[in-house]
Structures are given as structure tokens and as C-alpha cells.
Amino acid sequence: MSGTSGQPGRYQRSSNGLIVSIVVLVVGVLAFVLIRGALRDTPDAGVDISPVDYGPVAVQARKAGLVAPAPAPLPKGWKASSVRFTPPDPATSGVTGSWHLGLLTDKQRYVAVEETSDDVTDLLPDTVADATRGPAVRLDGRTWRSWTGAKDAYALTTAVTGGRQVLVGSPAGESVVRGVAADLSLPSQQ
């Protein structure tokens, strides 16, 4: 700081000093990251996600009037990583609850299975970024709308009972999504 006499302060500021400060800061951050990585128990291991038992939650959702679609059994090496059921609100007419089942493939790729009474396109950004509607797809006598997104992201959506929608989507690609959709036990399409 400069005094009242117009004299410069104790610390001289220069562009060289700024550059040295930035270099010291970057070296410190890199050292921290390297030391933290060296002290980990499993430095290169991915996060191990424990499987969840979605069966009891699916039963509860179905008792409440939802379809609660889920492949049974899961393909070999796959596991359910998350399940959510939001019960219907008794203050509204009809079934308005929602269902979510998150799956991990044997190659650790995520697949989402959703059921909602909301506009299904609201769910697309979470599963297929920048989704573009594709052609209709027929799987086991049911018509699905296809959606493609960045890289291999792909989703299928279909209407089920009560004006509800089911979405199956994944960044793992079309064949994975079609396989899951074909394995779902859904009510007959009218």
C-alpha cells in the first residue's frame, strides 16, 4: 500500500511476480493431486456400486397402479444401481406417481428405465442429451418412438395404460436400449 506521502508500498508488483505466483500455485495443486492419488487404497479402481433389490419397490409401485417396468431377469453381469418410486398424490385424480430404475451393464454403461405421467420429453435430457426424434420402432408388437443424441446415446419411449409413458435410454447405444425395451413386461398396446 502506498503511504500518504505518495511513496510506493513495500511490495513491488510486476508481471514477473504474477507469473511466478501462478507457477507456484499450479505446482502446489499438482503436488496435492499426485500425493492424494498415491495415498488412495485403490488408485485406479472405479467406484464399486452395490446392487439394489428393485423387486419389492416394483411390487409397491404396481400396487399403486404403475406399470413399474423392469427386465426380469437382468442379463448376466448386469446390476440394478438405483430404484425410485414416487407414490401417486391422492389429491390428484388418476395415477401421477413415477418410477425410475437405473441399470449398469456388464461393461459399466448406464441404462435408465422410467415411467411417468409427465411429458416424457422432459426426461430425455437426463438420458439422451440433444435428443432428436427418430423413426418409430416395433418391438414385440409394441410401437416405440426412437430418439438419438450425442455419440451413441439412444432412447425409446412408448405409451402405456392411463396416459403414462415409459422411457428406456442410455449412452450405451441402440442395441442395448432395444434389448432392455424388448425385455420389459408391459401391458398390451391398444
Side-chain angles (χ1 to χ4, degrees), residues 116-189:
T116 184
S117 59
D118 296 333
D119 185 354
V120 76
T121 57
D122 292 341
L123 298 174
L124 282 169
D126 295 335
T127 312
V128 178
D130 300 323
T132 303
R133 188 172 177 168
V137 172
R138 290 287 287 175
L139 294 172
D140 295 334
R142 173 174 288 280
T143 301
W144 296 78
R145 287 185 289 171
S146 68
W147 304 87
T148 56
K151 298 186 181 179
D152 288 333
Y154 187 78
L156 292 171
T157 59
T158 190
V160 292
T161 58
R164 304 183 62 70
Q165 297 282 320
V166 169
L167 174 140
V168 179
S170 175
E174 182 176 344
S175 64
V176 170
V177 171
R178 283 185 180 218
V180 172
D183 285 347
L184 298 179
S185 178
L186 298 174
S188 296
Q189 199 169 33

Side-chain angles (χ1 to χ4, degrees), residues 69-130:
L74 288 175
K76 185 177 175 153
W78 287 41
K79 63 182 167 184
S81 60
S82 61
V83 63
R84 272 189 317 276
F85 160 56
T86 304
D89 183 356
T92 63
S93 61
V95 178
T96 59
S98 64
W99 164 260
H100 160 84
L101 177 62
L103 304 170
L104 285 178
T105 70
D106 55 347
K107 294 180 177 145
Q108 301 300 301
R109 303 294 306 266
Y110 182 74
V111 180
V113 179
E114 310 278 352
E115 177 185 355
T116 184
S117 59
D118 296 333
D119 185 354
V120 76
T121 57
D122 292 341
L123 298 174
L124 282 169
D126 295 335
T127 312
V128 178
D130 300 323

